[in-house]
Amino acid sequence: MEKEVKVLESVTIRFAGDSGDGMQLTGTQFTNVSAIMGNDLATLPDFPAEIRAPAGTLYGVSGFQVNIGSSKIYTPGDRCDVLVAMNPAALKVNLRELDPNGVIIANEDAFVEKNLKYAGYNESPLTDGSLTKYRVFRVRINQLTQMALEAQNLPAKTVDRCKNFFALGLIFWLFSRDMNPTIAWIKDKFKKTPDLIEANIAAMKAGYNYGYTTEAFQVKYEITSAKLPAGTYRNITGNSALAIGLVAASHRCGLPLFLGSYPITPASDILHELSKMKNFGVKTFQAEDEIAAVCSAIGASFAGHLGITTTSGPGVSLKGEAMGYAVMTELPLVIVNIQRGGPSTGLPTKTEQSDLNQAIFGRHGEAPMPVLAASTPADCFDMAMEAVRLATKYMTPVILLSDGYLANGSEPWLLPDPAKFENIHVDFLKEKNGKSPYSRNEFNARPWIKPGTPGLEHRIGGIEKANITGNISYDPENHHQMVYLRKSKVEAIAAELPDADVYGDKSGDLLVVGWGSTHGSIRKAVETMRKSGKKVSHMHLKYLYPMPKNVASVLSSYKKVLVPEMNTGQLAGLLRNQFLTPVIQLNKVQGLPFKAIEIESKIEEVLKG
């Protein structure tokens, strides 16, 4: 029978199940297909830190939320419209995120006594009347998957692992998605195991056909393509964009890239991505610890390579002394911090913005270095290139901040034209010509000298350098001079930074100031407020130290300033201290990104106050 087709502007779907149920893969495939079909989107992978928590438990629930639309999408969605729950625990953990009258597609086969007990249910929520405000579809996903694969004589565990593709096929049908890109992906992914190719495709087609034939679903949905700027797009995560940005920068400056890294969540994917790019002149070194990782990158920089190290907050703590060493030696280095919940081990797989103070102040001695922050997954590409440009131009280490939300989240990325990239000028000093290892150019940067250059041999240790010569110096006046020289060099970068952009009126009742991954939620909230007639604007900072030179004048142009951030008020403190600006804080440290509605509610409160 023909099903009714409804056109939606957007829809938010959350796939949830055990860590071993393949929910991240399922969500990623739905996301990739939606990107291919021209939708704008934003994603929120949400998974536990445990490698494999006990099956069926609340702690073992893994989720993947994606918001797709036919217009601009800024966030993964405040609440989901559809929840695919593969077991009772997935339902219990995620039900609070489901919109009233939302759709629940529940794997009925998993709602057995043992799993109900693990999830803390006394009786099945599918039958006790507790879900009456939702539209519940009970689907025997396990049994239907087994029936679809019955002829293949596969082991029971293998069949069970295919049930996520049945769920994916059903959601593909429900939202009018094309299965062919995923079929091609399956054939490539499992090319060494033909049985799994056949099984996964069969399970997915069975789910798709179930949606088509069952009378349970009377309606299917379409989300038309978004009107995005013309060009070629790909779906990209923040970590992938950052890795590609670093490689692009290495080619624009003509230097081979060296990554010294120690695996740490959520930064490890950058190491994985760059290790695949040997054909672009990339060298990756998985060090025995964080200190060895950063020191190897400094050594590569000394030798004339582009030195990079990647980590998260705990790793930055360990790298601190070596980062000061890079400040003292004035060598270009990019330190990438993919922030996570802290302190200590904290929340390894959850997001946070709690390392801003650490980035600016977290070293002994006077050790200033520029601090940048990416604002979206795609922006990680641009900010990686910018970090390299500043590091090589000013001969200084640079910190680039991202976080777990940006790192694992994804969005469509308009592929840039490489021909339009500006070259990053790097000029090694090859002859003395009256210059010394610590001579200064117009930017107060010392020359970059490869070791062994005749007549320009110099010491490279962490003891204070004599101005110009670079010789060891304990002279009090020289130390004072060098401390201020290094400080002024970094602060002078502000003169060339682009002005901080303001979305909305250039003056008004309220300015919302953000940095990093809060961009999407703030922009969505401000757009909503402006549509209702509120005089609200948005300034998002990508350069945090030094800040753009127009920040002070922008802040003074509004009656009130609101700063939402995923910490206890670190940017708010910087704005107060640097500009003496009274700011109102909105802080969230739950390991989760802001919802737009949370910022909208605070804006309403501030404007009424």
Side-chain angles (χ1 to χ4, degrees):
M1 60 178 287
E2 288 297 320
K3 306 290 180 82
E4 180 185 355
V5 178
K6 289 186 177 180
V7 177
L8 303 176
E9 183 177 344
S10 66
V11 66
T12 299
I13 303 166
R14 175 170 284 220
F15 300 90
D18 266 331
S19 296
D21 282 342
M23 294 296 96
Q24 301 304 314
L25 185 154
T26 305
T28 299
Q29 284 303 307
F30 185 87
T31 298
N32 290 343
V33 168
S34 296
I36 290 170
M37 295 183 70
N39 298 124
D40 199 12
L41 57 88
T43 68
L44 175 62
D46 185 17
F47 46 87
E50 290 79 10
I51 293 174
R52 186 69 175 89
T57 62
L58 301 176
Y59 293 107
V61 173
S62 174
F64 189 105
Q65 184 163 309
V66 55
N67 182 11
I68 64 172
S70 56
S71 57
K72 180 63 180 175
I73 297 294
Y74 289 111
T75 75
D78 285 356
R79 300 175 72 87
C80 55
D81 303 300
V82 179
L83 171 62
V84 179
M86 299 298 283
N87 62 18
L91 177 66
K92 188 163 192 176
V93 168
N94 293 285
L95 189 60
R96 62 186 177 183
E97 303 297 336
L98 183 62
D99 198 57
N101 199 41
V103 171
I104 298 172
I105 297 176
N107 178 16
E108 186 175 8
D109 291 327
F111 283 72
V112 296
E113 184 178 354
K114 180 180 75 171
N115 290 341
L116 292 169
K117 184 178 178 180
Y118 282 153
Y121 287 116
N122 293 321
E123 55 182 307
S124 174
L126 300 182
T127 58
D128 67 2
S130 61
L131 303 177
T132 53
K133 65 178 180 180
Y134 307 104
R135 290 173 286 164
V136 181
F137 296 90
R138 296 156 57 176
V139 182
R140 305 201 65 175
I141 293 177
N142 289 15
Q143 183 185 76
L144 291 167
T145 302
Q146 292 167 8
M147 292 171 61
L149 306 183
E150 192 173 9
Q152 295 189 35
N153 296 317
L154 295 170
K157 285 187 177 180
T158 300
V159 172
D160 185 65
R161 292 189 185 116
C162 295
K163 65 179 181 288
N164 63 320
F165 280 101
F166 183 97
L168 179 61
L170 175 56
I171 300 301
F172 274 166
W173 174 84
L174 189 59
F175 292 99
S176 307
R177 307 286 93 178
D178 181 5
M179 286 191 294
N180 287 319
T182 297
I183 290 173
W185 178 87
I186 291 171
K187 289 179 178 179
D188 180 67
K189 176 71 175 178
F190 301 103
K191 55 191 172 187
K192 295 182 180 179
T193 50
D195 287 348
L196 291 182
I197 293 175
E198 186 179 350
N200 286 321
I201 292 175
M204 184 169 64
K205 287 183 174 179
Y208 190 97
N209 291 332
Y210 175 81
Y212 179 77
T213 58
T214 184
E215 295 183 1
F217 294 97
Q218 298 296 316
V219 179
K220 66 180 302 190
Y221 304 92
E222 289 184 359
I223 300 93
T224 58
S225 299
K227 293 178 174 60
L228 300 173
T232 302
Y233 287 80
R234 62 161 288 187
N235 189 47
I236 198 163
T237 65
N239 275 351
S240 293
L242 204 154
I244 296 170
L246 291 173
V247 175
S250 81
H251 280 256
R252 300 320 293 178
C253 65
L255 300 177
L257 187 154
F258 177 92
L259 173 70
S261 185
Y262 179 75
I264 184 172
T265 302
S268 298
D269 284 343
I270 302 173
L271 172 60
H272 302 159
E273 290 287 331
L274 289 176
S275 68
K276 303 172 186 175
M277 299 185 184
K278 296 176 183 177
N279 54 316
F280 293 110
V282 175
K283 298 181 179 69
T284 55
F285 168 54
Q286 181 174 317
E288 66 269 29
D289 56 41
E290 295 283 3
I291 298 171
V294 65
C295 288
S296 68
I298 294 171
S301 180
F302 178 51
H305 285 55
L306 178 59
I308 312 289
T309 189
T310 54
T311 188
S312 189
V316 175
S317 298
L318 294 166
K319 295 178 191 290
E321 183 181 1
M323 290 163 64
Y325 182 95
V327 171
M328 178 63 81
T329 56
E330 297 185 64
L331 286 168
L333 173 72
V334 175
I335 303 108
V336 178
N337 178 0
I338 312 297
Q339 301 165 94
R340 70 190 207 187
S344 187
T345 306
L347 303 173
T349 62
K350 308 301 180 182
T351 195
E352 210 162 273
Q353 291 182 300
S354 51
D355 296 347
L356 178 56
N357 283 341
Q358 180 195 43
I360 297 176
F361 306 113
R363 293 164 294 284
H364 74 279
E366 298 288 347
M369 58 184 71
V371 178
L372 316 180
S375 58
T376 69
D379 188 49
C380 289
F381 173 89
D382 296 320
M383 296 313 290
M385 292 193 70
E386 178 69 348
V388 171
R389 186 187 72 83
L390 293 177
T392 53
K393 180 175 181 177
Y394 290 90
M395 291 295 287
T396 179
V398 174
I399 295 178
L400 174 57
L401 297 174
S402 177
D403 61 43
Y405 174 36
L406 294 183
N408 297 316
S410 65
E411 66 177 344
W413 177 41
L414 175 60
L415 298 184
D417 181 358
K420 295 182 179 179
F421 293 157
E422 292 186 9
N423 286 331
I424 299 173
H425 181 70
V426 171
D427 186 17
F428 291 99
L429 183 59
K430 298 176 182 178
E431 296 180 355
K432 192 168 178 65
N433 289 335
K435 295 185 178 180
S436 297
Y438 281 79
S439 298
R440 303 288 161 177
N441 63 14
E442 67 271 29
F443 307 112
N444 260 343
R446 80 172 184 92
W448 198 352
I449 305 167
K450 291 184 180 180
T453 301
L456 292 167
E457 297 87 350
H458 59 287
R459 294 178 176 86
I460 202 67
I463 298 176
E464 183 60 278
K465 306 287 179 288
N467 190 28
I468 308 299
T469 67
N471 294 332
I472 290 174
S473 174
Y474 294 100
D475 179 75
E477 287 74 18
N478 176 80
H479 177 57
H480 182 91
Q481 179 185 11
M482 293 299 288
V483 165
Y484 274 93
L485 194 154
R486 291 186 289 261
K487 181 174 185 287
S488 63
K489 177 179 71 171
V490 173
E491 290 179 344
I493 293 173
E496 73 160 75
L497 297 181
D499 283 347
D501 183 55
V502 176
Y503 167 77
D505 302 316
K506 303 310 176 187
S507 63
D509 295 330
L510 178 64
L511 175 69
V512 186
V513 181
W515 69 279
S517 66
T518 57
H519 177 272
S521 300
I522 294 175
R523 182 57 58 87
K524 174 66 174 174
V526 169
E527 271 195 2
T528 301
M529 291 293 101
R530 289 182 60 78
K531 287 177 182 177
S532 67
K534 305 291 193 302
K535 292 185 176 180
V536 183
S537 301
H538 174 204
M539 177 173 71
H540 213 76
L541 296 175
K542 295 184 181 184
Y543 300 91
L544 294 157
Y545 183 76
M547 292 187 190
K549 54 186 180 295
N550 71 324
V551 170
S553 62
V554 172
L555 291 173
S556 64
S557 300
Y558 298 85
K559 295 176 183 177
K560 295 180 180 179
V561 176
L562 171 66
V563 182
E565 48 186 331
M566 293 185 291
N567 55 49
T568 59
Q570 296 183 20
L571 176 60
L574 291 174
L575 296 179
R576 289 192 192 101
N577 293 340
Q578 188 168 340
F579 304 106
L580 303 180
T581 300
V583 300
I584 300 163
Q585 295 181 203
L586 175 60
N587 304 113
K588 182 177 182 178
V589 279
Q590 300 175 5
L592 296 169
F594 275 106
K595 296 178 179 179
I597 190 64
E598 294 170 334
I599 299 174
E600 290 170 25
S601 298
K602 187 65 177 180
I603 290 173
E604 293 274 16
E605 176 190 321
V606 170
L607 292 176
K608 288 178 182 178

